[in-house]
Amino acid sequence: MPRSLSKGRTFVYMLPWREQDLLKVGYSRQPLVRMRTLHRRFFDVFDLERGLLLETERLAQARQIERDIIVRHATQRSPAPLTVPDEAAGYSEWFRGICPEVTALLHDAAGREGFALHSLRDWLRQWFGSQGDGLYEWSLRMLEAIEYEAFNVPPEWQRGEAARSLRYVMDACEAVGLPLADLFPDGALAWRHGL
């Protein structure tokens, strides 16, 4: 791997499954993309309040922290939930009964190394919030696509992709506590209210 690929911000993530003593650990340069591979509606299945993202400066640092967790808690491994696609689940990064220990380990690494430690909800709120203008314009295009499909495509050929995408993004923003009226046009709010 070229040296330049090993440099740069990488996140160690701890994703607790909602209402279960189960969590996923790993690392990613793009945590939002990674969460979506685990479950499309990640904000419904992961506990955003307990979830954590440790921001390291190098890929090697994130790998080492993940490896420490995996080795230290090898006996507490658990299968992935059935709703997680096999190709995304990973076979050694799901655990039961270790949320307090991993939380403490990530806090310790943050303090010792000076890494930023983010709550999952706060990081997602900041990420979605930073997309404000783009979300507004994108949602207008989605509304146009929804309207076009409704009036110009025979029902048996309608796929509903624009509607699913708009609903998903609005649900994600709401799940992290963002006021939808600040990010989306009135038409999108009315469309969602009419669902």
Side-chain angles (χ1 to χ4, degrees), residues 130-143:
S130 72
Q131 307 301 309
D133 290 342
L135 281 177
Y136 190 94
E137 295 301 322
W138 172 82
S139 62
L140 289 174
R141 290 193 307 275
M142 291 301 102
L143 288 171

Side-chain angles (χ1 to χ4, degrees), residues 25-100:
V25 297
Y27 62 88
S28 176
R29 291 242 168 104
Q30 298 178 325
L32 181 58
V33 172
R34 181 63 180 127
M35 286 183 273
R36 286 196 56 179
T37 65
L38 294 168
H39 198 284
R40 176 165 168 76
R41 293 184 60 88
F42 66 88
F43 47 86
D44 287 336
V45 299
F46 291 118
D47 186 331
L48 304 182
E49 294 296 334
R50 294 187 301 140
L52 294 171
L53 291 172
L54 180 69
E55 188 174 338
T56 67
E57 297 166 0
R58 301 176 64 86
L59 178 63
Q61 295 164 323
R63 280 185 178 158
Q64 185 59 53
I65 292 167
E66 182 211 35
R67 177 136 178 82
D68 289 348
I69 295 168
I70 290 172
V71 169
R72 185 177 300 183
H73 299 289
T75 60
Q76 288 130 323
R77 284 190 181 138
S78 177
L82 295 175
T83 57
V84 175
D86 288 341
E87 61 274 9
Y91 63 91
S92 63
E93 301 99 9
W94 291 89
F95 299 89
R96 285 200 184 277
I98 66 166
C99 192

Side-chain angles (χ1 to χ4, degrees), residues 8 17 25 29 36 46 51 60 71 84 90 95-96 98 104 121 123-124 128 138 152-153 161 172 174 177 180 186:
W17 200 257
V25 297
R29 291 242 168 104
R36 286 196 56 179
F46 291 118
V71 169
V84 175
F95 299 89
R96 285 200 184 277
I98 66 166
R121 181 181 298 281
W123 187 87
L124 288 165
F128 279 108
W138 172 82
N152 297 289
V153 177
E161 290 182 16
E174 185 175 61
L180 299 185
D186 291 342

